Amino acid sequence: RVERTLDGDAAASEVVLATDETTGEDTVIKAELLSAPSTQVYHDRNVLDWLLRGRGQRECPLEPGWTPPLVGLPRLHKSCESRLIMHTRTDAATGRELPMRLFAMEVLGPSLERALRESPRGLPAAAVRALGRQLLDAMEYIHSNGYLHCDVKPANFLLKGGAAYIVDFGIAKKFVETIYRKPSERDTPGPKFRHSNLGGTGEGTSEWKSCFAERCDPLGRREDMEPLGFVLLKLSTGELPWEAES
C-alpha cells in the first residue's frame, strides 16, 4: 500500500513510501516505467544485490544465510531478494494500464543533503570524522566488489541510527583494472600502473563530478574518492571553496 511520494534526487525513477500489508513493515519502493529510456531501477537493484551478497570478493562464501559485514548498504525487502517485481499502474490522464518494474528496500532516514540544509555552517568535527570513517569503509567495500558508484553526492548518503548508508546505484559501473608498465619501464623493477577498463561516460551530477570524469578520462576509484572528499569538506565547512567564490 503506497503511503506517500518521498523527496529525493532519483530523477529517472519514482520513489515512494509504502507499507507491506502482510507484515505491516514500512518499505521504500523505487519504480520506473518499462517504456522508460533508461533501466536505472533494474540496474540499481542488481548492483545492490551483488554488493549485499559480496559476490565480488573471492573470500566471501555464497552460502545461504551468509551476511556481509555492516558496510552502509540498505537491505532489500525479502520480496526482491531474488528478482525485480513487475507491476502496473493506471495513468490518470488516459486511463491506460502502464507496466512498471520496481524493487523495495528498507526505510532509511534523511540524507546528508538535508543535514546540510539544516546546518548551513557544517556539522561538528566529531560527527564529520565518524561519517567519514563509515563512508570510506563503505566505498572500499563497493570498490573491492568491482563496482564504481559514479554518483557520489550528499543526496545519495542517507542516515539511520547514527550510521550512514550509500544508495542509488542506478549508474554504477563494473570495472576491471588492467596492470601494465610503461614501455620504457617494462624491464625495470618498480610499481606497476593501474588503469580501469572503463572510458568516461559523462554521467553523474555535474556539481559533484571529479575533474577526471569531467574530462571523460578512463574511470577508476578516484571518480568516487574525489567527490567523497568534496562531500566531507562541505560537511565540515558548510560550503565548497568555489561556492564561496561565486
Side-chain angles (χ1 to χ4, degrees), residues 1-6 10 13-20 26-32 41 77 79-80 85 87 100-107:
R1 183 178 70 250
V2 173
E3 302 290 348
R4 59 187 171 91
T5 300
L6 296 176
S13 60
E14 182 179 359
V15 184
V16 299
L17 178 66
T19 300
D20 185 330
D26 287 339
T27 186
V28 170
I29 292 176
K30 294 188 72 172
E32 67 183 359
V41 164
H77 188 271
S79 62
C80 307
I85 297 174
H87 188 61
M100 305 186 73
R101 52 180 161 245
L102 58 88
F103 74 94
M105 63 183 185
E106 69 174 304
V107 178

Side-chain angles (χ1 to χ4, degrees), residues 190-209:
K192 298 180 181 180
F193 295 85
R194 293 179 176 267
H195 285 258
S196 166
N197 66 325
L198 293 175
T201 63
E203 293 180 293
T205 304
S206 58
E207 297 90 333
W208 296 97
K209 281 184 183 179

Side-chain angles (χ1 to χ4, degrees), residues 122-173:
L123 304 181
V128 175
R129 286 195 299 271
L131 287 170
R133 284 193 292 268
Q134 292 180 45
L135 296 178
L136 284 169
D137 286 345
M139 201 62 67
E140 181 182 22
Y141 180 81
I142 292 167
H143 292 168
S144 71
N145 277 275
Y147 272 96
L148 306 173
H149 187 280
C150 296
D151 198 16
V152 173
K153 57 185 177 182
N156 285 338
F157 296 128
L158 304 185
L159 304 173
K160 180 182 179 181
Y165 293 78
I166 300 180
V167 299
D168 198 354
F169 293 89
I171 62 171
K173 300 289 186 295

Side-chain angles (χ1 to χ4, degrees), residues 8 20 26 33 42 60 113 120 161 168 173 180 184 215 225 236:
D20 185 330
D26 287 339
L33 295 172
Y42 175 83
C60 293
E113 185 177 57
D168 198 354
K173 300 289 186 295
Y180 69 97
S184 61
R215 296 199 302 258
M225 300 309 295
S236 298

